[in-house]
Each structure stands twice: as C-alpha cells, then as structure tokens.
C-alpha cells in the first residue's frame, strides 16, 4: 500500500474524476481501492449497450490472462452485471469506469489508447495497439489513477 500511495503522489500519474462503476470491482477492501496490474485499457467513445460489444476483446485478453479496464460514458446495467459476475467468479480481472467526455480523452491520451466506437467493438475490430496500457490502474469510488512507467510510456513519433 505504501508504494501505491507514493505512486499516487507522483506527478507523472494521470488522474481523472471517474471512479469504479461498482463496489464489486474493489480488490483491497480495507482501502476500498480497485487495483489492476499492467491492464489493457479499452476506451469507449459511446455507451456500451450490449455485452456483444466486449466479447471479442475479452476473448483475446482471457487467453493471455491480461486484466482489462473498460472506460465508457455509460454501461448498460446487464453488461455491468456481467462484468461484475466475471470479476466475482475470478474468470477475469476486470474493472469498469463510467467517465465523461473530457476525462475519456484524458484517459485515452494518458495510456495511449484509441477511442473506440460501437461499430468497431461489435465487429471485433480491435487490434492490441488500439487498447491502452499502464503499469497499474487504481480506482476509488470517485477517481482513477493511471500509473505510468518507462515500459508503458510510448515515445512520440
């Protein structure tokens, strides 16, 4: 916990005012933090209306055992419930974050993700370089923090 506290204070940490979408994503009950190590980050430019929009991405990441943070302006209740169940059953390490437009762009820029729309998500057209990356993602009920390192920070072209 001490290293996380230090990372939260680091000026390179990207912070947005958008927390976890459900307490079911909490990984540390005493601090009420949801923490994922080296997750892929799917940034959605529009609401997630059906679970089908996530299936292709989830299938790829389950095989590699890569955690996933899903960031969207809205997630339908049944989709959120499915993500919660998969987290509770430990099928996959997941975190859902409901985020408004300015914060979506901050997340996408911070972790080098493309903002994906519904048609791309439904078609399964998501290459691994469309997903963002960070060393550690930490969410509370009200905010999220992307911890970046030299490994996850890409040099500008």
């Amino acid at each position: 916990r001490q290293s996380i506290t230090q990372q939260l204070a680091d000026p390179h940490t990207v912070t947005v005012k958008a927390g976890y979408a459900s307490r079911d994503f909490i990984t540390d009950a005493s601090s009420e933090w949801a923490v994922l190590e080296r997750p892929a980050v799917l940034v959605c430019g529009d609401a997630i209306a059906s679970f089908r929009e996530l299936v292709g991405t989830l299938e790829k990441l389950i095989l590699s055992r890569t955690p996933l943070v899903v960031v969207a302006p809205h997630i339908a209740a049944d989709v959120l419930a499915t993500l919660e169940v998969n987290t509770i059953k430990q099928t996959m390490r997941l975190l859902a974050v409901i985020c408004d437009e300015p914060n979506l762009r901050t997340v996408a820029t911070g972790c080098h993700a493309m903002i994906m729309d519904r048609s791309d998500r439904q078609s399964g057209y998501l290459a691994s370089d469309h997903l963002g990356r960070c060393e550690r993602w930490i969410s509370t009920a009200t905010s999220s923090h992307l911890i970046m390192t030299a490994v996850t920070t890409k040099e500008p072209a």
Side-chain angles (χ1 to χ4, degrees):
R1 214 181 273 166
Q2 183 179 4
S3 81
I4 289 177
T5 303
Q6 290 171 341
Q7 288 175 327
L8 292 175
D10 187 314
H12 294 99
T13 297
V14 176
T15 300
V16 293
K17 292 181 181 178
Y20 46 72
S22 164
R23 294 183 55 78
D24 289 323
F25 297 113
I26 292 173
T27 58
D28 182 10
S30 61
S31 66
E32 295 191 347
W33 289 338
V35 180
L36 291 180
E37 303 292 333
R38 292 180 215 67
V41 181
L42 173 61
V43 181
C44 305
D46 50 6
I48 300 173
S50 75
F51 192 72
R52 177 177 170 237
E53 297 173 42
L54 302 177
V55 170
T57 302
L58 290 171
E59 285 175 341
K60 291 174 191 169
L61 295 175
I62 284 173
L63 293 175
S64 67
R65 302 186 59 79
T66 302
L68 177 65
V69 178
V70 178
V71 182
H74 177 77
I75 301 174
D78 60 323
V79 176
L80 184 59
T82 302
L83 295 174
E84 291 168 334
V85 167
N86 278 282
T87 298
I88 292 165
K89 292 174 105 179
Q90 298 179 348
T91 306
M92 185 174 180
R93 291 169 295 158
L94 295 163
L95 173 58
V97 175
I98 307 297
C99 200
D100 64 14
E101 174 66 28
N103 285 310
L104 276 173
R105 294 206 177 280
T106 301
V107 169
T109 300
C111 67
H112 307 284
M114 290 184 66
I115 298 176
M116 304 305 294
D117 66 19
R118 179 174 293 118
S119 61
D120 285 337
R121 295 190 308 265
Q122 285 179 330
S123 71
Y125 177 69
L126 285 174
S128 62
D129 63 341
H130 292 150
L131 300 173
R133 302 280 175 187
C134 62
E135 186 64 25
R136 177 180 282 154
W137 183 292
I138 305 159
S139 284
T140 67
T142 59
S143 62
S144 293
H145 312 274
L146 292 74
I147 309 302
M148 307 304 290
T149 65
V151 175
T152 56
T153 304
K154 296 178 183 175
E155 292 296 318

